Amino acid sequence: LKTHVFGEANTPPTLSHLASLFKTKKYSKILVLTGAGISVAAGIPDFRTAGTGLYSNLEKYNLPHPTAVFDIDFYKDNPAPFVMLASEIWPGNHLPTKTHAFIKLLSDKGILLRNYTQNIDGLEVLGGVPEEKVIECHGHFRTASCTSCGSPMDVSLVSKSIIEDGVPPVCAKCGGIGKPDIVFFGEDLPSVFHGNINRDVKEADMIIVMGTSLQVQPVAGIPDYVSSKVPRLLFNREHVGNFDTSEYNYRDIFEAGNCDDGVENFCEMIGWGEELRTCYENA
Ligand code: CNA
């Protein structure tokens, strides 16, 4: 067993190693990578949890395969399933969780380098994380555009069409169909992702991954791009990615369970328990 990133040999790294270094302010450029799991406690189902996840509950849409609902070519030919789903998941009815409060706290303390989120629910910004600290890798519902000519579309008309009328929005310029600017399979990620990711992974001195199955590239690769000297902390219900739990592990910590519980426990360990509660209650 080699000496681990917390400076000790012959023992696997633990959360308390990390917490004690955290308290010395060793980490000041923390990259946070989040997914649908962090919003499950807000009442928004994730994709891949068997039984409750969206992919287990799409029978009514009669899809060839679950991911078709977010496939750009499928949508152009058959918009009805996404229109139905979008009317159900359109943001506005959910509040940020303790995990969102933790990300805000990291930002308030000046040690959040960036939060790369795969979520499209907007709860990071609603929870008070400054917009410049959040990269919504898979887009959001705040703007909309045409899938044919790319022209921006009035999002209030797009939401009315989808939520009230249950029909796909039509572009006034070319007659193509529109959609909110969430990223479908087959579409590129927003330029803000490409413009920041290379620098951020180089600068990060710690990465925290929460509530993601790490199945969707390129975001799923982010934990692999940070320096090998960087500790990697995973709060998730299940083990994902290549977080090392073997005897050779020298930098990974996997806290299994609900991320809100993991975050609360970690905050108690670093003396932030009270601040986390206040931050969560005031969000
Ligand atoms: P996913 O593939 O559904 O994986 C979710 C992961 O979180 C799984 O590993 C779960 O075990 C885990 N998990 C579920 N609940 C919790 C919890 N309370 N605490 C800790 N872990 C939990 O979702 P990903 O984000 O990895 O997949 C990427 C997709 C999902 C993105 O493109 C998103 O746009 C999309 N998505 C977003 C939302 C949202 O915005 N809230 C909801 C559903 C899907």
Side-chain angles (χ1 to χ4, degrees), residues 1-24 26-27 30 205-208 227-234 243-244 248-255 266 269-270:
L1 191 68
K2 59 179 168 177
T3 303
H4 60 61
V5 289
F6 308 112
E8 287 182 36
N10 304 322
T11 56
T14 63
L15 193 64
S16 49
H17 285 127
L18 180 64
S20 47
L21 281 183
F22 202 98
K23 285 204 273 193
T24 68
K26 182 172 168 66
Y27 305 109
I30 300 176
D205 56 16
M206 177 180 170
I207 182 166
I208 307 178
S227 155
S228 60
K229 298 186 177 66
V230 163
R232 308 191 308 174
L233 172 58
L234 171 65
F243 276 73
D244 195 353
Y248 303 107
N249 176 25
Y250 66 97
R251 60 149 167 179
D252 287 350
I253 295 164
F254 168 38
E255 290 291 298
F266 186 58
M269 291 170 85
I270 59 174

Side-chain angles (χ1 to χ4, degrees), residues 29 31 113-114 116 132 135 192-204 225-226:
K29 291 180 175 173
L31 203 60
L113 176 62
R114 207 85 63 189
Y116 283 78
E132 68 274 14
I135 297 202
V192 65
F193 173 85
H194 297 295
N196 286 284
I197 187 65
N198 292 338
R199 193 191 55 248
D200 284 349
V201 290
K202 274 197 200 101
E203 277 188 21
Y225 306 145
V226 295

